Amino acid sequence: MLTHRKMLMEDYQLSPDLLVDCSKDISLFCHDGVETGGRTLHCLMKHAHSHNQQETISDPCKRRLQETIKQSDAGEDWRADPVLFEACHSMVESNCRVYRGGNARVMRCLMQHLDSPEMPTACEAALLEIQYFVARDWRMDPVLYAACSENAERLCGARRSWFNLNPSDPEGGGKRRFESEGGKKSKAEQVLPCLFRYVYHPSPKLRLNSTCAEEVQRVMQERSAHVDLHPEIERVCMGDLGKFCSSHTGPGEEIACLQDNMEMLERECKDVVGNYTEAEAKNSGLNAQLTMQCSSIIPQVCGTLPQHDTDGALMDCLIQHKNSELVRNNHKCRAVIEHFQLLALKDYTFSPKFKESCQVDVAKFCSRPKPKNKADVIECLSRQVRDAVLSDDRHKISKACRYQLRQQLIQRHENIKLDPRLQQHCSNDVNRLCKDVSRGRGAVLECLRQNKQNLTSECHKVLFLREEEEHQDPSTDVVLVSTCQQMIQQFCKEVPFEQYLSCLKRWKNEPTFDPTCRQVVVRRMVEQTTDVRLNPDLYRACRRDMAKFCSDMVQRMEWTSTELNGRLIECLKEQLPSKRLSTTCRVQVLTMARTSALDYNMDPILLSNCKDDMNVLCHDYLNNDGRGKMEECLKLHFDNDRIQSTECKLHIAHVIDTQRADIHVDPILNEACGVDDNKYCEGKEKGHHLACLLDVLERNPNGLKDDCSKKLRDRKEMFSAASKISHLKSIEDIVSHVSASPERNYILLVFATAIGIIFIGGLFCGRATKRYKLLKDR
């Protein structure tokens, strides 16, 4: 039988039907058939899968050629094809010698070594020419046929018989129809794609049995490098391949080219490429470039993953380790990973776990308007999460989806190429301000943050949204997490992701805290002072207080897309002396007031209004040491009326007013009077310690330490100077200022005396007026 099969492959004239149907093609392409030893058949095979229509054999010839190869069963035993045997003999001897001929064992071995450097060019060409036809009839792969015949008949309407009984139906399949294909006639070349769809079917009852599923995945992985081996793609994408991918002919390059140009493909081609890409996302073995470029790395970074990847776990693992030294040093592997990340932005279904976790949420919250791509889906879901955090409401987005969304945001913040919106609006700014910054690891986003004042308005708006995302969930802040990874493990190991920054802020002054991490934390704290939306803890604590006392700023915040430069936070600080803020809000605002007193960089209004005065009067403290020297310097010059800028003078007056609320808000005074505070005012309620010390100063000035006594006298003068330029907008403001003033008893006494004088004067004037009226009437 093997001899007979070899004869069919050696001499095409032994197949009369092929001789008739292919005579013109043989004359046109194959030197009138003078080539011997099977070379004429291989000549026809070569021209069967040419993408150039002028160099392709006719359809009748192609069908007869398919039938001849099936009759010879060349796909079952490599020895049946003399050309293949001659071209691949050395390869079989060196790599497939352990396999016996038959049952496609050697053919499978050769396919596994298709991209090996040892593979001879002639062997690769002959092998692909045979596999082109094997790919068009699933029955020509004996192992696949044996494993999947029952599944193919049950799910895909395939015939149980191996050979066609009806010669007029060369493609096989009979009159049965695909239930899954909407009534299309079943063809042999459609069976494998049909089986492949059932590998991942959501219903366990319709899923393939394990043996068949394993074989289908094996076959699809072997064919992943060449689009010719995917009839359903080649058939509908022939025009697009010629249009976009004529120069991309290497292993895996044609499919990658179609994926890159997906938006411009014809509708039918776009659908089939999209379906394949979704399957490729689930099974990374279908990604030929990934298999070739990352094969040496995968076992080292993802070796614990199951052998058969069906949920995208391998690609997720590689993305997670993309910035590890091992992957960074392999530029080709890293490029393949990032290419897939860019491809996944075209459709969220290309991210299997993200799709599985979020498809219900997407349908519920992101259907109007319908998202065009994955970037739109991420933007929509992120907005829903952000709104829930800011309003302190229960999350509408499911927990599983929020977790997957976090992974997507990490990827987006890591590389600007994975953030289409930011790249669209900030590309010019990046080229202008960050051209020397390496891409990846969040470096470009960090550069934009540090050059915020020089950004264009549109770029600034998008950047503000990205800052919101990271402050609401610091685990998506790539720079913070990567720089502070050790500190997170040391100080915040048991803290939820959302509290990473809050935790690091509490521990940043510890002696063992990493200085580089501290710098990043301080930068994030500076950002939080510019807008309450960047400080979720403050926002949640003061939401009602903001609406009550700062309604005009809240309205402004609702329509502006960038920072308010600390104006809303300043409004909250102004309420501290009056003690009108709620308890939770007051704690947050006091903390911010103390922080800004220690580090002037955390007072954006001071930076804006006092820039010139700081350079002239307090130049020595520009390199802030975090101990409040700059603010103290400005306050002293304010007391001596040396500040030139009216805006700066007014702001320092507000700062001084704010610090009357609590001695702890004034770190310099708190440090000077700490011992006396504990001595005289230990049992006092919070917020009353400063008044207590001032009372001690009046009654027993010698009982205080010299430094504390001096600082308190300075503060009294500052309070007096600040009160002269404070804007009292209403009777309520006057009452609030008087009640919060350390000299409130004196002020009330003067006020009462003035009222008494007016009252007594009124009595005398009233009697005199009455007496004058009586005399006039007489």
Side-chain angles (χ1 to χ4, degrees):
M1 285 299 296
L2 179 61
T3 302
H4 177 70
R5 290 157 59 189
K6 287 174 66 175
M7 290 171 59
L8 287 175
M9 291 298 295
E10 282 179 336
D11 191 350
Y12 71 95
Q13 297 182 19
L14 296 177
S15 303
D17 291 334
L18 182 140
L19 188 61
V20 172
D21 288 337
C22 295
S23 58
K24 292 182 180 179
D25 300 282
I26 293 172
S27 175
L28 184 62
F29 300 118
C30 304
H31 307 96
D32 290 324
V34 297
E35 297 174 317
T36 59
R39 300 192 184 282
T40 298
L41 279 179
H42 270 274
C43 170
L44 291 174
M45 291 182 209
K46 177 182 177 181
H47 287 277
H49 63 90
S50 173
H51 293 166
N52 187 338
Q53 294 297 321
Q54 295 179 349
E55 297 180 1
T56 305
I57 61 177
S58 62
D59 288 339
C61 178
K62 190 179 292 186
R63 286 194 292 269
R64 290 304 175 190
L65 187 58
Q66 173 88 24
E67 187 176 348
T68 299
I69 295 172
K70 186 176 181 182
Q71 287 175 340
S72 69
D73 203 9
E76 190 270 342
D77 195 329
W78 72 295
R79 295 171 298 179
D81 183 353
V83 173
L84 183 68
F85 183 84
E86 179 183 350
C88 297
H89 186 269
S90 61
M91 188 67 183
V92 172
E93 285 295 312
S94 60
N95 293 279
C96 307
R97 192 173 183 178
V98 296
Y99 299 104
R100 291 187 302 159
N103 206 30
R105 285 183 285 262
V106 174
M107 295 291 281
R108 288 175 62 176
C109 174
L110 289 172
M111 286 297 293
Q112 290 170 3
H113 290 84
L114 188 62
D115 299 311
S116 170
E118 303 172 16
M119 172 65 72
T121 303
C123 177
E124 179 181 353
L127 182 63
L128 289 176
E129 286 163 4
I130 288 289
Q131 287 297 321
Y132 176 82
F133 289 92
V134 173
R136 278 145 183 78
D137 191 337
W138 70 290
R139 295 166 297 185
M140 293 175 66
D141 186 322
V143 180
L144 176 68
Y145 180 78
C148 296
S149 58
E150 186 275 329
N151 287 273
E153 183 180 21
R154 176 171 60 91
L155 300 171
C156 302
R159 280 187 174 182
R160 183 175 289 274
S161 58
W162 181 83
F163 200 77
N164 303 326
L165 299 177
N166 183 359
S168 65
D169 182 18
E171 300 245 4
K175 298 182 180 179
R176 295 184 63 178
R177 297 176 181 270
F178 284 107
E179 293 181 3
S180 59
E181 291 291 313
K184 291 182 181 179
K185 287 186 178 180
S186 173
K187 296 182 179 180
E189 70 177 33
Q190 293 176 312
V191 173
L192 182 60
C194 171
L195 288 171
F196 187 58
R197 285 192 290 276
Y198 285 103
V199 171
Y200 311 108
H201 200 283
S203 173
K205 294 182 179 179
L206 293 177
R207 216 170 288 159
L208 303 181
N209 63 52
S210 59
T211 305
C212 178
E214 187 175 337
E215 281 304 308
V216 170
Q217 291 183 79
R218 186 266 305 173
V219 171
M220 295 298 288
Q221 289 178 19
E222 289 176 354
R223 300 178 182 182
S224 62
H226 300 275
V227 74
D228 293 346
L229 304 184
H230 292 279
E232 72 283 5
I233 297 179
E234 185 204 37
R235 177 172 53 84
V236 299
C237 294
M238 186 64 71
D240 291 308
L241 282 167
K243 185 176 180 180
F244 300 111
C245 309
S246 57
S247 61
H248 300 79
T249 57
E253 290 183 1
E254 285 180 318
I255 291 177
C257 173
L258 290 172
Q259 291 169 332
D260 289 340
N261 294 280
M262 193 175 299
E263 295 86 350
M264 297 178 284
L265 301 179
E266 296 294 332
R267 178 64 180 273
E268 194 174 1
C269 178
K270 182 178 180 180
D271 289 343
V272 72
V273 172
N275 290 336
Y276 182 83
T277 305
E278 188 173 349
E280 185 182 74
K282 294 178 180 177
N283 186 347
S284 299
L286 300 179
N287 190 325
Q289 290 289 326
L290 183 75
T291 303
M292 286 189 294
Q293 306 300 345
C294 301
S295 58
S296 61
I297 289 176
I298 290 173
Q300 299 182 62
V301 297
C302 307
T304 57
L305 290 174
Q307 184 178 1
H308 298 293
D309 180 28
T310 59
D311 61 356
L314 177 57
M315 182 58 75
D316 288 343
C317 172
L318 289 172
I319 291 172
Q320 184 180 351
H321 291 87
K322 185 179 70 171
N323 291 312
S324 66
E325 184 177 359
L326 187 64
V327 180
R328 282 205 321 272
N329 291 337
N330 190 320
H331 303 294
K332 291 184 178 180
C333 177
R334 183 182 170 89
V336 173
I337 296 170
E338 291 193 341
H339 174 268
F340 184 83
Q341 289 182 283
L342 291 170
L343 176 62
L345 289 175
K346 298 177 185 292
D347 195 320
Y348 87 101
T349 62
F350 297 163
S351 302
K353 292 182 179 179
F354 183 51
K355 174 191 172 184
E356 181 182 354
S357 301
C358 295
Q359 56 185 344
V360 174
D361 297 287
V362 172
K364 188 174 182 180
F365 299 109
C366 305
S367 58
R368 296 182 182 179
K370 185 178 180 180
K372 297 179 181 178
N373 48 46
K374 179 181 174 183
D376 289 347
V377 171
I378 293 174
E379 203 74 43
C380 168
L381 294 175
S382 178
R383 184 168 57 252
Q384 292 288 336
V385 173
R386 180 172 66 246
D387 292 346
V389 170
L390 292 179
S391 60
D392 203 21
D393 290 338
R394 184 177 179 181
H395 279 291
K396 297 178 182 177
I397 305 300
S398 65
K399 184 176 181 180
C401 181
R402 294 202 308 276
Y403 175 80
Q404 289 300 325
L405 177 63
R406 178 183 294 123
Q407 307 310 309
Q408 299 300 321
L409 291 177
I410 291 173
Q411 294 180 36
R412 186 168 79 173
H413 295 168
E414 188 267 339
N415 193 330
I416 190 174
K417 292 191 296 184
L418 303 177
D419 190 340
R421 186 176 177 187
L422 189 67
Q423 190 169 27
Q424 176 188 353
H425 293 292
C426 295
S427 56
N428 292 333
D429 297 275
V430 171
N431 293 332
R432 180 167 52 91
L433 302 168
C434 311
K435 61 181 179 180
D436 296 327
V437 176
S438 60
R439 301 300 186 261
R441 310 185 77 177
V444 173
L445 187 61
E446 192 72 10
C447 173
L448 291 174
R449 294 167 99 147
Q450 295 178 17
N451 291 278
K452 195 181 301 183
Q453 302 302 322
N454 301 316
L455 299 179
T456 57
S457 59
E458 290 302 314
C459 178
H460 192 172
K461 291 177 183 178
V462 181
L463 178 65
F464 181 70
L465 291 175
R466 299 299 175 260
E467 289 177 327
E468 274 194 275
E469 290 170 355
E470 293 190 352
H471 280 287
Q472 286 158 17
D473 185 353
S475 68
T476 64
D477 188 338
V478 177
V479 173
L480 178 74
V481 173
S482 60
T483 306
C484 298
Q485 187 174 13
Q486 186 176 352
M487 296 299 97
I488 291 172
Q489 286 295 316
Q490 183 174 343
F491 296 107
C492 310
K493 190 173 183 179
E494 305 299 326
V495 172
F497 294 136
E498 297 84 357
Q499 296 298 320
Y500 275 173
L501 181 57
S502 299
C503 174
L504 292 170
K505 283 160 60 175
R506 289 195 300 271
W507 296 96
K508 70 180 177 64
N509 293 320
E510 286 293 308
T512 59
F513 202 90
D514 178 56
T516 307
C517 175
R518 184 185 294 113
Q519 291 177 1
V520 177
V521 172
V522 170
R523 289 204 299 269
R524 297 300 181 263
M525 293 173 68
V526 171
E527 286 177 356
Q528 288 187 324
T529 63
T530 62
D531 198 285
V532 69
R533 288 167 290 183
L534 301 180
N535 192 333
D537 293 337
L538 178 68
Y539 193 103
R540 283 191 293 265
C542 297
R543 190 158 50 95
R544 292 183 177 85
D545 298 271
M546 289 188 296
K548 184 176 180 181
F549 303 115
C550 312
S551 57
D552 56 336
M553 283 293 169
V554 171
Q555 291 178 0
R556 184 177 175 185
M557 180 181 67
E558 290 174 352
W559 57 261
T560 187
S561 302
T562 54
E563 301 89 344
L564 292 178
N565 199 35
R567 298 292 177 186
L568 182 50
I569 296 174
E570 185 69 13
C571 173
L572 291 172
K573 288 181 182 178
E574 290 175 3
Q575 313 307 314
L576 284 175
S578 63
K579 299 181 175 61
R580 292 185 294 177
L581 297 177
S582 62
T583 304
T584 54
C585 179
R586 181 178 173 82
V587 170
Q588 289 287 336
V589 176
L590 283 172
T591 301
M592 291 208 71
R594 175 175 173 79
T595 302
S596 62
L598 285 168
D599 187 345
Y600 69 93
N601 287 302
M602 297 189 191
D603 189 338
I605 299 178
L606 185 143
L607 286 173
S608 175
N609 294 352
C610 300
K611 183 177 180 180
D612 293 336
D613 289 291
M614 286 192 295
N615 287 326
V616 174
L617 301 173
C618 305
H619 181 78
D620 294 341
Y621 304 113
L622 286 174
N623 294 325
N624 184 53
D625 58 2
R627 300 180 63 182
K629 297 293 181 65
M630 174 62 77
E631 188 181 89
E632 183 71 8
C633 173
L634 289 172
K635 289 194 299 186
L636 291 173
H637 285 297
F638 168 83
D639 192 32
N640 295 321
D641 200 22
R642 293 176 184 169
I643 294 180
Q644 298 300 312
S645 168
T646 304
E647 291 80 5
C648 180
K649 191 178 297 185
L650 180 61
H651 180 65
I652 296 301
H654 287 158
V655 169
I656 293 171
D657 275 343
T658 298
Q659 293 182 344
R660 292 186 305 169
D662 195 312
I663 191 173
H664 301 291
V665 181
D666 189 340
I668 299 295
L669 180 64
N670 187 39
E671 182 179 358
C673 295
V675 175
D676 293 310
D677 184 30
N678 291 331
K679 180 178 179 181
Y680 295 106
C681 310
E682 185 176 1
K684 295 290 183 179
E685 184 182 350
K686 286 185 179 180
H688 292 79
H689 287 235
L690 179 57
C692 170
L693 288 172
L694 288 170
D695 187 56
V696 173
L697 181 66
E698 289 291 329
R699 292 185 293 100
N700 183 21
N702 296 326
L704 299 173
K705 287 191 172 183
D706 292 341
D707 190 26
C708 177
S709 179
K710 182 179 182 306
K711 286 288 188 297
L712 285 172
R713 289 190 177 92
D714 290 341
R715 292 305 183 263
K716 286 185 66 175
E717 293 177 5
M718 290 179 190
F719 295 150
S720 177
S723 65
K724 293 177 183 178
I725 64 171
S726 295
H727 294 279
L728 305 181
K729 302 174 184 178
S730 65
I731 297 297
E732 184 180 357
D733 285 341
I734 295 174
V735 174
S736 299
H737 275 69
V738 170
S739 63
S741 173
E743 297 89 1
R744 59 183 178 278
N745 295 332
Y746 175 76
I747 294 174
L748 290 173
L749 178 61
V750 172
F751 185 77
T753 303
I755 293 296
I757 292 172
I758 294 172
F759 178 73
I760 295 171
L763 289 177
F764 282 111
C765 290
R767 290 183 178 181
T769 303
K770 185 177 180 181
R771 191 174 301 166
Y772 173 77
K773 188 176 180 181
L774 289 173
L775 290 173
K776 188 177 180 181
D777 290 340
R778 288 178 182 178

